[in-house]
């Protein structure tokens, strides 16, 4: 065996090095030096993120006879995830150093890095065995992270709900894979694509297999008929884990979903899975929005908002073009910044006062103007109000979907467009609570920690700059078009 | 009698459906976990049978099964750990009692 092919996996190796450094530091350093574990993790991971932008990584290569592939686009996808993880790490410092977590914070960082490794494998995999290993490595440690708050009953309840649905969904996904294997006799993506093209849309077995595969990944993405775990898990998990779950985990699953659909089942796009996805998108956006309307708990509210955002993300998958991938990447980049800003504010308020209800936010502007301003920007960006990045990401993803040209897709985009109206209503409910509603006992003025402020500043800068500075989008589009 | 593919595929499909049924109806979390194991094992049978009957020259399905078994074991271990945690808090593993968070 040629061991030099491991060198194709430079980013994975880099992440492994970061993981080992954090692990060794956590295990062997004396008690005194332990206090800086969070900062050390952020610095190591920050350096790793910066190194990821080095142009020397953007080359096409594959390893293990085509099981693993890397290219400029894949490196860019991983960089997007890295940026998000870095913000999550910075925002979680205060929580990780709190009295109840300090014993176990090393495990939090280690588990987080392992799940990121799994997502890397998922995105780079060109063989379903590696894909499944990545998927499991990305979802199993997350269950342990959801159960992290040992003193909180809700955390355990959320973890049970998460692990049972995760195993159920992966069993369904594997069942679909077994049919795919029976159909083609191989699990390599390129050979499978060939076999699928020959088999055509007449094959009942292929259709059943596709239903199972879409359902399995749909659980991870919390698309609507498979979304029932989402709100409970998001509410029960510690806020930092919720942020990670809703942004990074979902983003990675969306990229992997695009790769599987476009590369393996691309040949039967219009006959088979366009319509499956069509129904899923309509349901996801509509039901996510309608349930978000009646939520009073901020974390549940953000959970349903992220369900409907997943529907918009799927518009990039249904476009099934390289332009679709470009706008999908841009959408997730913007989504990372806006959603993490919202979670950053929720976490800051929860760390300081323990309050997570929307009614507690009444009159927040009078006491904590900066936090409410950051929250307002996040809500505007998530709703898609023009000067902020969220508008442009929605605009580009609609455009790329329309490029398909069929009437049905026009109707789909129209439905998505109409759905932004209720979403605007419930996003503005939060803004109204903070700025307009009167409250005799608002949350007292408090000073958030340096790390929380740093995380929020990065997010706010992203929300404002990503939309106005056009080079982000055009460079992503250039990358995907060169594919 | 000629033993062909169907003699294995139909039992495995029945196993899978039993697993889904058990997952939905069972109230005891350990029983739910057993139902999940049934589903995962049905998948393993499928892979081995497809490999053995349709593509006898290769080993891809067999290897996939080996990995799937290992992954299933990891999943069960983690789920049991979480269920033990729940048991410590509530002294109970009935899934109907996990209803603090709703709607």
């Amino acid at each position: 065996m040629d061991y030099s092919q491991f060198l194709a996996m430079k980013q994975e190796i880099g992440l492994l090095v970061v993981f080992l450094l954090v692990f060794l530091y956590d295990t062997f350093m004396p008690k005194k030096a332990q206090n800086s574990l969070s900062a050390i993790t952020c610095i190591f991971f920050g350096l790793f993120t910066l190194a990821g932008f080095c142009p020397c990584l953007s080359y096409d290569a594959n390893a293990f006879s085509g099981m693993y592939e890397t290219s400029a686009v894949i490196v860019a996808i991983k960089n997007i995830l890295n940026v998000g993880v870095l913000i999550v790490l910075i925002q979680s410092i205060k929580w990780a150093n709190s009295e109840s977590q300090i014993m176990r914070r090393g495990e939090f960082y280690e588990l987080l890095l392992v799940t990121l490794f799994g997502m890397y494998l998922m995105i780079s995999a060109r063989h379903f065995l590696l894909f499944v290993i990545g998927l499991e490595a990305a979802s199993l440690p997350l269950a342990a992270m959801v159960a992290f708050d040992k003193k909180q009953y809700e955390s355990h309840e959320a973890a049970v709900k998460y692990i049972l649905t995760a195993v159920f969904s992966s069993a369904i996904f594997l069942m679909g894979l077994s049919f795919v294997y029976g159909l083609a006799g191989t699990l390599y993506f390129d050979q499978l694509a060939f076999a699928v093209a020959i088999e055509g849309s007449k094959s009942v077995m292929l259709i059943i297999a596709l239903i199972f595969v879409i359902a399995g990944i749909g659980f991870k993405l919390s698309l609507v008929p498979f979304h029932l775990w989402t709100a409970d898990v998001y509410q029960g998990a510690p806020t930092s884990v919720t942020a990670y779950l809703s942004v990074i985990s979902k983003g990675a699953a969306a990229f992997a979903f695009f790769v599987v659909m476009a590369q393996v089942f691309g040949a039967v796009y219009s006959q088979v899975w366009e319509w499956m996805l069509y129904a899923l998108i309509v349901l996801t956006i509509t039901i996510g929005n309608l349930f978000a309307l009646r939520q009073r708990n901020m974390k549940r509210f953000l959970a349903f908002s992220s369900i409907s955002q997943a529907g918009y993300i799927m518009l990039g998958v249904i476009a099934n073009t390289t332009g679709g991938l470009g706008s999908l990447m841009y959408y997730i980049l913007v989504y990372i910044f806006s959603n993490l800003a919202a979670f950053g504010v929720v976490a800051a308020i929860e760390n300081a006062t323990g309050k997570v209800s929307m009614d507690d936010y009444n009159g927040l502007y009078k006491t904590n103007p900066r936090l409410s301003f950051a929250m307002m920007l996040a809500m505007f960006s998530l709703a898609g109000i023009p000067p902020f990045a969220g508008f442009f990401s929605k605009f580009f993803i609609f455009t790329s979907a329309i490029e398909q040209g069929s009437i049905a897709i026009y109707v789909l985009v129209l439905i998505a467009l109409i759905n932004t109206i209720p979403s605007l209503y419930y996003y503005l409910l939060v803004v109204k609570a903070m700025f307009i509603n009167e409250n005799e006992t608002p949350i007292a003025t408090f000073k958030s920690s340096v790390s929380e402020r740093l995380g929020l500043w990065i997010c706010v800068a992203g929300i404002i700059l990503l939309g106005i500075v056009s080079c982000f989008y055009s460079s992503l589009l250039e990358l995907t078009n060169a594919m | 009698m000629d033993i062909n593919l169907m003699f294995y595929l139909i039992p495995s499909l029945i196993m899978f459906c039993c697993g889904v049924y058990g997952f939905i109806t069972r109230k005891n979390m350990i029983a739910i976990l057993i139902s999940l194991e049934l589903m995962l094992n049905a998948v393993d049978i499928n892979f081995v049978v497809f490999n053995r009957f349709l593509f006898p020259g290769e080993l891809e399905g067999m290897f996939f099964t080996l990995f799937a078994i290992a992954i299933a074991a990891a999943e069960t271990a983690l789920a049991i750990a979480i269920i033990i945690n729940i048991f410590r808090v509530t002294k109970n593993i009935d899934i109907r009692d996990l209803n603090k968070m709703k709607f």
Side-chain angles (χ1 to χ4, degrees):
Chain A
M1 191 180 146
D2 179 16
Y3 285 101
S4 67
Q5 56 187 336
F6 277 103
L7 287 177
M9 314 173 77
K10 284 204 179 65
Q11 277 194 305
E12 277 80 2
I13 293 172
L15 185 62
L16 210 58
V17 169
V18 175
F19 169 76
L20 285 176
L21 286 174
V22 173
F23 180 67
L24 293 175
Y25 193 94
D26 181 38
T27 315
F28 293 113
M29 287 308 258
K31 264 272 176 312
K32 238 181 182 172
Q34 292 277 346
N35 288 331
S36 49
L37 177 67
S38 311
I40 293 279
T41 311
C42 286
I43 290 168
F44 281 150
F45 196 82
L47 289 176
F48 169 66
T49 308
L50 275 183
F53 287 99
C54 165
C56 60
L57 284 173
S58 309
Y59 54 87
D60 295 347
N62 60 46
F64 317 121
S65 57
M67 275 177 113
Y68 172 94
E69 185 184 280
T70 181
S71 67
V73 176
I74 290 174
V75 170
I77 291 173
K78 288 174 183 168
N79 283 339
I80 291 175
L81 293 182
N82 280 347
V83 171
V85 171
L86 185 61
I87 299 172
V88 171
L89 282 178
I90 292 173
Q91 283 180 345
S92 69
I93 288 178
K94 172 95 179 282
W95 171 76
N97 287 331
S98 65
E99 201 60 47
S100 53
Q101 305 304 334
I102 205 151
M103 283 284 292
R104 285 169 280 136
R105 64 178 170 190
E107 291 157 34
F108 171 72
Y109 294 124
E110 284 143 25
L111 288 173
L112 193 145
L113 293 174
V114 169
T115 53
L116 186 63
F117 188 83
M119 289 164 201
Y120 276 13
L121 285 188
M122 218 160 103
I123 292 161
S124 277
R126 291 297 175 267
H127 183 282
F128 268 119
L129 179 54
L130 197 61
F131 184 87
V132 168
I133 292 172
L135 191 75
E136 298 300 337
S139 62
L140 291 186
L142 262 174
M145 281 162 74
V146 170
F148 216 73
D149 232 338
K150 257 189 150 175
K151 300 222 169 64
Q152 289 280 335
Y153 165 76
E154 281 88 354
S155 187
H156 295 308
E157 188 179 325
V160 167
K161 287 173 177 171
Y162 182 77
I163 186 80
L164 292 181
T165 39
V167 179
F168 185 70
S169 70
S170 58
I172 286 178
F173 178 70
L174 287 173
M175 195 65 184
L177 275 194
S178 78
F179 287 143
V180 173
Y181 178 69
L183 206 69
T186 176
L187 289 167
Y188 284 99
F189 282 13
D190 46 355
Q191 293 170 22
L192 268 178
F194 196 61
V196 165
I198 292 173
E199 198 72 26
S201 57
K202 298 270 184 327
S203 162
V204 180
M205 201 161 158
L206 177 66
I207 295 174
I208 294 177
L210 250 171
I211 292 173
F212 277 64
V213 168
I214 290 181
I217 306 183
F219 267 107
K220 307 275 176 228
L221 272 165
S222 60
L223 300 179
V224 150
F226 325 111
H227 71 292
L228 291 164
W229 58 277
T230 318
D232 290 354
V233 172
Y234 280 24
Q235 185 189 346
T239 308
S240 304
V241 179
T242 311
Y244 184 72
L245 203 61
S246 81
V247 176
I248 314 295
S249 169
K250 187 168 279 190
F255 289 131
F257 194 45
F258 186 94
V259 169
V260 169
M261 286 332 237
Q263 293 211 349
V264 181
F265 301 109
V268 290
Y269 165 73
S270 59
Q271 298 98 334
V272 186
W273 59 268
E274 184 186 6
W275 296 103
M276 296 183 191
L277 217 53
Y278 195 97
L280 284 184
I281 291 174
V282 172
L283 279 174
T284 307
I285 298 181
T286 316
I287 293 183
N289 275 341
L290 292 181
F291 273 85
L293 286 175
R294 60 189 291 267
Q295 302 304 326
R296 302 312 294 172
N297 180 307
M298 279 308 283
K299 277 157 89 177
R300 279 185 94 79
F301 164 78
L302 283 171
F304 280 107
S305 124
S306 86
I307 289 174
S308 80
Q309 296 282 342
Y312 291 107
I313 291 172
M314 284 303 101
L315 282 176
V317 179
I318 208 173
N320 195 28
T321 53
T322 52
L325 181 58
S327 45
L328 179 78
M329 287 161 74
Y330 183 69
Y331 196 96
I332 288 175
L333 183 64
V334 171
Y335 175 65
I336 282 175
F337 281 102
S338 0
N339 222 21
L340 284 182
F343 273 112
V345 177
V346 172
I349 291 175
E350 197 189 1
N351 286 338
T353 62
K355 290 177 176 169
V356 284
S357 167
M358 205 189 284
D359 301 323
D360 297 327
Y361 283 38
N362 289 346
L364 186 71
Y365 175 69
K366 296 229 172 65
T367 50
N368 296 294
R370 285 190 189 172
L371 276 182
S372 10
F373 187 67
M375 190 63 156
M376 184 191 77
L377 287 187
M379 289 297 132
F380 281 179
S381 178
L382 282 172
I385 288 176
F388 305 112
F391 167 74
F392 295 96
S393 65
K394 276 210 173 67
F395 178 77
F396 288 131
I397 211 149
F398 287 162
T399 323
S400 71
I402 282 177
E403 272 167 17
Q404 270 296 320
S406 66
I407 304 282
I409 299 279
Y410 278 110
V411 175
L412 178 67
V413 171
L414 185 69
I415 294 171
L417 210 58
I418 291 171
N419 260 300
T420 53
I421 299 168
S423 79
L424 197 60
Y425 170 72
Y426 62 73
Y427 286 127
L428 290 183
L429 271 185
V430 181
V431 180
K432 172 173 167 277
M434 291 185 306
F435 284 85
I436 299 174
N437 285 4
E438 295 290 332
N439 192 354
E440 279 149 23
T441 52
I443 293 169
T445 310
F446 66 87
K447 200 164 166 51
S448 41
S449 68
V450 181
S451 56
E452 285 166 343
R453 261 179 287 162
L454 180 64
L456 280 178
W457 275 118
I458 298 174
C459 291
V460 167
I463 289 170
I464 294 172
L465 290 180
L466 278 176
I468 300 169
V469 184
S470 62
C471 68
F472 289 108
Y473 179 70
S474 53
S475 60
L476 281 179
L477 201 65
E478 233 168 69
L479 257 180
T480 51
N481 281 340
M483 212 160 62
Chain B
M1 194 172 63
D2 180 30
I3 304 279
N4 60 18
L5 201 58
M6 283 301 148
F7 282 75
Y8 297 91
L9 282 187
I10 290 172
S12 101
L13 195 65
I14 293 172
M15 248 172 95
F16 188 81
C17 294
C18 285
V20 174
Y21 178 77
F23 180 80
I24 294 167
T25 55
R26 282 307 182 122
K27 305 299 176 218
N28 185 315
M29 275 189 250
I30 301 290
I32 291 176
L33 213 56
I34 294 171
S35 312
L36 286 174
E37 278 305 302
L38 269 184
M39 290 169 71
L40 288 165
N41 287 345
V43 172
D44 293 347
I45 293 177
N46 258 7
F47 266 106
V48 170
V49 167
F50 280 134
N51 194 345
R52 170 75 180 69
F53 282 91
L54 296 181
F55 317 103
E58 306 163 24
L59 281 172
E60 217 171 350
M62 304 276 183
F63 273 104
F64 196 99
T65 308
L66 278 181
F67 278 91
I69 291 170
I71 290 170
E75 274 165 350
T76 316
L78 188 56
I80 293 265
I82 290 171
I83 292 172
I84 289 173
N85 259 337
I86 277 276
F87 182 73
R88 284 202 183 129
V89 181
T90 61
K91 301 289 171 223
N92 191 353
I93 49 169
D94 193 326
I95 199 86
R96 282 169 297 188
D97 290 346
L98 299 183
N99 56 3
K100 213 169 168 196
M101 295 183 288
K102 264 192 199 167
F103 306 113

